[in-house]
Amino acid sequence: TSCLCKPTGKFTTLVAGDCNDANAAVNPGALEQCSTSFDDDCDGIVNEEKAVGCASHYWDFDKDKFGVTANMKCLCAATDRYTALVGGDCADTDAAVYPGATESCNGKDDDCDAAIDEENATGCTAFLKDGDRDTYGLSTDKKCLCKATQPYDTVKTGDCNDADAMVNPGATERCNAKDDDCDGIIDEDGAIGCTVYYLDIDQDKYGVTSNSRCLCNGAMGAYTATLQNDCNDSNPAIHPGATEVCNSVDDDCDAQTDEGCPCAHSKCTTGIPLNPWCADPCVG
């Protein structure tokens, strides 16, 4: 410096502080530039925060390349923990948690979308909708969830009417014109309230005890008799209650043949000359 009465030669400015008098772009009033490697504004710092051309750098403690949005500096280059160029990290102490991470069923907001353990997270379970609260759901209406959430809270499938709690695969079939047990058959044999019908081929209203069906909607096919114990279902004249006649047949199905008939001995045959066994009608 020189104390002069007026500017002379190179001594022309009244303001000091230039740190590089060989570069006109460098002076205390200049803007710091990220594009240079020197102290543009002569403040003793090269490429300081907020220099022209700086980029947002977020604090990234867990080094997962995502930083805390609220803790950011505009820098020419990463410094200290300000290394992430993307913000949005919601748990900067957990490197597995950041925007875009895969959501898992673990009680954490892995992908930082403000939702924890959302639908379709890794490890989820397919829960079916149970609208009628009978613990069975529709296989066509389900969600993959980390935990059961009503109405998607059952894993038992097969419900064929989710609006009726009395209809499901575990229900008992009843005679009510509904497929109560969801087996694809309505009012099948043996449903509660059915009527037993016996096989009655000879249509004498008496059926075979060992061959029956319990039906909801009345007689079906040859199963028409509600009375049983027919001992010969090919002869309509033979059945319980029929009149016993002398014909060597158990007409009334009481396990006796020709009871009460005179000369009922097996050696006596109608149309054959009188046999000594039949000399007296009362002799058997």
Side-chain angles (χ1 to χ4, degrees), residues 91-111:
D92 199 39
T93 57
D94 188 339
V97 175
Y98 54 84
T102 299
E103 188 73 14
S104 298
C105 292
N106 55 10
K108 298 189 295 185
D109 180 14
D110 303 275
D111 56 4

Side-chain angles (χ1 to χ4, degrees), residues 160 166-197 212-218 220:
C160 53
M166 299 300 292
V167 176
N168 59 68
T172 300
E173 188 73 13
R174 299 175 182 275
C175 292
N176 56 9
K178 296 192 296 185
D179 181 12
D180 303 275
D181 56 4
C182 296
D183 64 353
I185 306 173
I186 296 175
D187 293 349
E188 61 257 42
D189 289 15
I192 292 178
C194 64
T195 299
V196 176
Y197 289 89
S212 66
R213 294 176 65 181
C214 198
L215 306 172
C216 289
N217 301 307
M220 180 180 294

